[in-house]
Amino acid sequence: MAGLIVLAAVVLLVIIVVAKSVLVVPQAQASVIERLGRFRTVAAPGLNFLVPFLDRVRAKIDLREQVVSFPPQPVITQDNLTVSIDTVVYFQVTDSRSAVYEISNYIVGVEQLTTTTLRNVVGGMSLEETLTSRDQINTQLRGVLDQETGRWGIRVARVELKAIDPPPSIKDSMEKQMRADREKRAMILNAEGARESAIKTAEGQKQSQILAAEGAKQASILDAEGERQSSILRAQGERASRYLQAQGQAKAIEKVFAAVKRGKPTPELLAYQYLQTLPQMAQGDANKVWVVPSDFNKSLEGFARMLGAPGEDGTFRYEPPKEEPPSGRPEDEEESVAGWFDTSSSPEVAEAVRAAEEVARKEVPSASPGLPGGPALSGPASREALGETGALGQPPAGGTPPA
């Protein structure tokens, strides 16, 4: 039994010695080794051998980049407003020995250094600058922390401001200001929209009125030209009609006078015809008294002596006139009036009617001609629209100007 106990104690001692002699360090970690209370070395990741009962592990250091979020810290800004700021620090241990022997707790040291540096940086800024200068604050914090923690064997990678909370009263004022600013922008946008709408509506009405005026102008011009041509043609027709009436009256008088002369009237017959005409001459409301002249018979006798010839019985009678050949048409007598009786349509008038119909069928452009925003009215189209081409302003061919 005693031998078994001794053997078990020896085996246990061997196991303890082996356990104290072998040290396995995981990847991305480091162990600080001390011998008899004094720094000996930093064990690298992997298998390491120690002297039993003389060497011991002082601290195990994580070499990966660490993220530490510190609780909100009250900071006073330059305009005496207290804000609560949450910070997040990204750091990495680069020297395990310095991290163990230069500072007792490097995480607490980083936290306190971050707080003091943050108060120094934010204390020189107003609240507005603090809220809009996160990148500047992060850069300054990182520069100060990296410089101060270098002797601790720590490298500060980044510093971020997670939250900046102003006082509730300031937050309420900021919300009201933001709401007022948004309402202001909304009112400005609504006013701009109403202004643009009014401008577009006015432009549309303007273009519509201009197009209507242009249409009315062209219609008036065409009506005036048509009325002018109609008046010219009507005047020419009336002139030809009066000329024909004058010719007819002249022929009628000539025929009547010739018939009277062929009848060889005597003074008694003329007196009888004159007496028959007197009642017709006396008709009318204004004729109250009619006086027959006393020398009536002498007048007829003188008329018969002047125009007649004495017959065998001594009585003066009219001699019948010589027969005259019938005259031709009035338009054949004078070349100047030959065109008055031409009833054929003028080619110029037909061309003018065709041009007016083309203008009437032409589509109205979307914008006013000759104005900003519309095509300029020029060329043959404008002259046709204004009645300046064709025969709208010219008299018919072969005719003469109106009398």
Side-chain angles (χ1 to χ4, degrees), residues 12-23 49-50 52:
L12 181 60
L13 180 61
V14 171
I15 292 174
I16 293 174
V17 170
V18 172
K20 292 287 187 179
S21 300
V22 177
L23 176 63
F49 296 97
L50 304 177

Side-chain angles (χ1 to χ4, degrees), residues 22 31 91 111 115 117 120 178 195 225 246 285 325 338 356 381 385 394 397:
V22 177
S31 298
F91 67 93
E111 177 184 1
T115 301
T117 306
N120 291 334
M178 184 180 299
R195 173 175 173 270
E225 288 294 334
D285 297 335
Q394 302 294 334

Side-chain angles (χ1 to χ4, degrees), residues 74-132:
V75 181
I76 300 176
T77 61
Q78 188 179 10
D79 46 2
N80 297 325
L81 293 176
T82 302
V83 295
S84 180
I85 301 179
D86 294 350
T87 56
V88 179
V89 180
Y90 299 82
F91 67 93
Q92 183 180 13
V93 177
T94 56
D95 188 356
S96 302
R97 176 180 178 181
S98 299
V100 173
Y101 293 106
E102 295 296 334
I103 187 171
S104 62
N105 190 336
Y106 58 85
I107 294 180
V108 176
V110 170
E111 177 184 1
Q112 297 301 322
L113 185 59
T114 301
T115 301
T116 55
T117 306
L118 182 63
R119 288 176 176 173
N120 291 334
V121 173
V122 176
M125 297 181 177
S126 62
L127 177 61
E128 189 72 22
E129 294 175 349
T130 303
L131 296 175
T132 58

Side-chain angles (χ1 to χ4, degrees), residues 11 14 40 54 74 109 122 132 134 146 180 190 201 207 252 313 322 344 358 389-390:
V11 172
V14 171
R40 175 177 172 268
L54 296 179
V122 176
T132 58
R134 288 174 177 259
D146 194 22
N190 291 334
T201 302
Q207 295 294 333
D313 55 356
K322 295 182 180 180
S344 61
E358 289 182 358
T389 60

Side-chain angles (χ1 to χ4, degrees), residues 376-399:
L377 189 61
S378 61
S382 65
R383 293 192 295 272
E384 289 182 2
L386 296 178
E388 295 179 358
T389 60
L392 290 180
Q394 302 294 334

